[in-house]
Amino acid sequence: LPKAVVSAVGSRTEADAVAAIEVLSLQDLRQLPFEQVERLVRLSWWQAAVAVVTKSHEARMDFTAPVRRAVQDVKKEADVLLKWLDPRFANPETTPMAMRWAQNTTAVMVAARFAPKWEAPGANLGVFSTEKGRGHVDPQKTAERIKSMLRVSISARHIEAEITADSANVRKRYTLRLDLFDEVGPERSAW
């Protein structure tokens, strides 16, 4: 990138960025990466973002896509912040997990669902991917996400699990506590 572009996007303050953008030639502006325009919006450097967009009209450049994408991301983050103001969102009520149980002479299998009833809609923790051009749930990333969020404790007499997740725009804390009739081997147990 030309030195003038680096100066504009690498500024430490918004005032410095605005000053660098104002002296940027139209040729140099055409080399400004979209990611840097998005960065100005994500930093909430509104004057600098307006300066770039205004100057882009002279250069016959279209920064619509990066500006809209960044504004949408900032709005989402602001909406989440507003949700945290509600104490019920910050400290969600406990919702029991639906569960199914099966056992044989050597093993106990428990399946739990992040929903109050097995057939009811529950938490959507799927991680979406557009790999290979198609939108789909990535099973590996979804499993990693759940594993990082889910707390499971298996002792000789109890199985406990807890996860806090969004379900239909409401944050819920799903819990499971299963008291066992007889002892199990926690060191031989897996989830």
Side-chain angles (χ1 to χ4, degrees):
L1 292 174
K3 189 175 182 179
V5 173
V6 172
S7 174
V9 298
S11 301
R12 294 198 181 269
T13 68
E14 182 177 15
D16 291 344
V18 170
I21 290 164
E22 287 175 353
V23 298
L24 203 60
S25 73
L26 299 182
Q27 182 63 30
D28 287 343
L29 183 71
R30 288 187 187 99
Q31 295 181 25
L32 184 64
F34 278 14
E35 296 83 26
Q36 296 303 324
V37 176
E38 288 181 29
R39 180 178 168 270
L40 296 174
V41 174
R42 288 196 173 99
L43 289 172
S44 299
W45 287 5
W46 307 118
Q47 293 173 343
V50 168
V52 165
V53 170
T54 302
K55 198 158 194 161
S56 74
H57 297 306
E58 285 180 61
R60 299 204 184 274
M61 292 214 40
D62 187 6
F63 286 130
T64 301
V67 168
R68 286 188 185 277
R69 186 171 37 247
V71 166
Q72 183 180 13
D73 291 347
V74 169
K75 282 182 177 180
K76 279 183 190 175
E77 290 176 26
D79 286 342
V80 169
L81 175 60
L82 289 175
K83 285 181 180 180
W84 279 96
L85 291 173
D86 182 353
R88 292 171 300 189
F89 184 84
N91 301 301
E93 292 182 22
T94 300
T95 302
M97 288 184 203
M99 149 193 113
R100 291 191 177 168
W101 163 287
Q103 73 181 60
N104 60 27
T105 57
T106 60
V108 174
M109 289 136 305
V110 176
R113 191 161 189 283
F114 309 137
K117 294 181 182 177
W118 195 262
E119 55 284 329
N124 183 1
L125 298 169
V127 177
F128 292 92
S129 173
T130 56
E131 205 171 286
K132 299 180 184 173
R134 292 184 22 236
H136 63 282
V137 174
D138 184 320
Q140 182 178 354
K141 289 180 181 175
T142 298
E144 289 170 6
R145 179 178 185 206
I146 291 171
K147 200 163 196 155
S148 73
M149 295 171 67
L150 182 64
R151 289 191 314 242
V152 177
S153 171
I154 301 173
S155 66
R157 292 278 191 171
H158 307 285
I159 298 173
E160 295 177 332
E162 180 180 315
I163 190 168
T164 302
D166 291 340
S167 176
N169 291 329
V170 176
R171 197 160 174 263
K172 293 186 178 182
R173 186 169 61 99
Y174 293 99
T175 60
L176 171 73
R177 179 173 169 87
L178 184 60
D179 296 322
L180 304 172
F181 176 71
D182 202 357
E183 289 189 2
V184 296
E187 66 283 349
R188 295 187 321 247
S189 300
W191 64 275

